[in-house]
Amino acid sequence: MNHASMMQIILYVSDMDAEVHFYRDVLGLEIVYPQVALEDYSSEMWVEFDAGGCALALHGGADNPPAGSHEVIFKVEDLVHARQEILTAGIQIAEIRLLEDGEPIAEGVDPDGHRFAIR
C-alpha cells in the first residue's frame, strides 16, 4: 500500500432522524445522500454527509448502543460558539479542556451514544 487516506466513517444508529438532526442541523454537515431532502429520516437506512474530505455515513437499524470505543472529531471555526450551539440543542458536551499538546477540545455524545469531539 502506497498511501492511504480516510474515505468514509460509518456510524450504526438506532434513531436515524435524531442523528440526522444532530449532524445536519447542529454541526452543519451537508447531506449528500439521499439527494432529496426529507422531512423525516426515520425510515432511511443510509444517510451520508460531506464531512470535508471524508464522508460520514449513518447506517440505520442498530439494535445496541455503541460500545464507546470510538470518537469522531470535527474541526470548527469557533470552539466556544460551537459548544454553546450543541448545548442549546440539548446534546451532552463537556467543558473545553486542553489536550497534551495544549490545543483545546470539547467532547460529547450524540443522540445515539456515539462519542464526538470538536476542536
Side-chain angles (χ1 to χ4, degrees), residues 73-79 99 101 103-106 117-119:
I73 301 173
F74 297 92
K75 180 180 180 181
V76 296
E77 289 181 27
D78 182 335
L79 185 60
L99 294 170
D101 63 3
E103 292 296 317
I105 188 170
I118 54 174
R119 292 187 64 178

Side-chain angles (χ1 to χ4, degrees), residues 24-46:
R24 179 194 62 197
D25 302 334
V26 178
L27 289 186
L29 299 181
E30 178 184 341
I31 295 176
V32 295
Y33 183 87
Q35 294 179 341
V36 176
L38 304 173
E39 289 203 24
D40 184 352
Y41 287 84
S42 297
S43 63
E44 294 299 304
M45 286 302 287
W46 187 268

Side-chain angles (χ1 to χ4, degrees), residues 45-116:
M45 286 302 287
W46 187 268
V47 176
E48 191 168 319
F49 298 88
D50 177 352
C54 176
L56 173 64
L58 304 179
H59 190 303
D63 292 329
N64 300 318
S69 59
H70 66 280
E71 184 172 52
V72 181
I73 301 173
F74 297 92
K75 180 180 180 181
V76 296
E77 289 181 27
D78 182 335
L79 185 60
V80 172
H81 180 74
R83 181 179 173 278
Q84 187 56 52
E85 285 186 7
I86 291 166
L87 285 171
T88 300
I91 306 297
Q92 298 176 17
I93 189 161
E95 295 290 330
I96 296 170
R97 67 179 180 90
L98 296 181
L99 294 170
E100 294 77 15
D101 63 3
E103 292 296 317
I105 188 170
E107 296 167 299
V109 179
D110 79 8
D112 227 42
H114 297 278
R115 292 175 51 214
F116 74 92

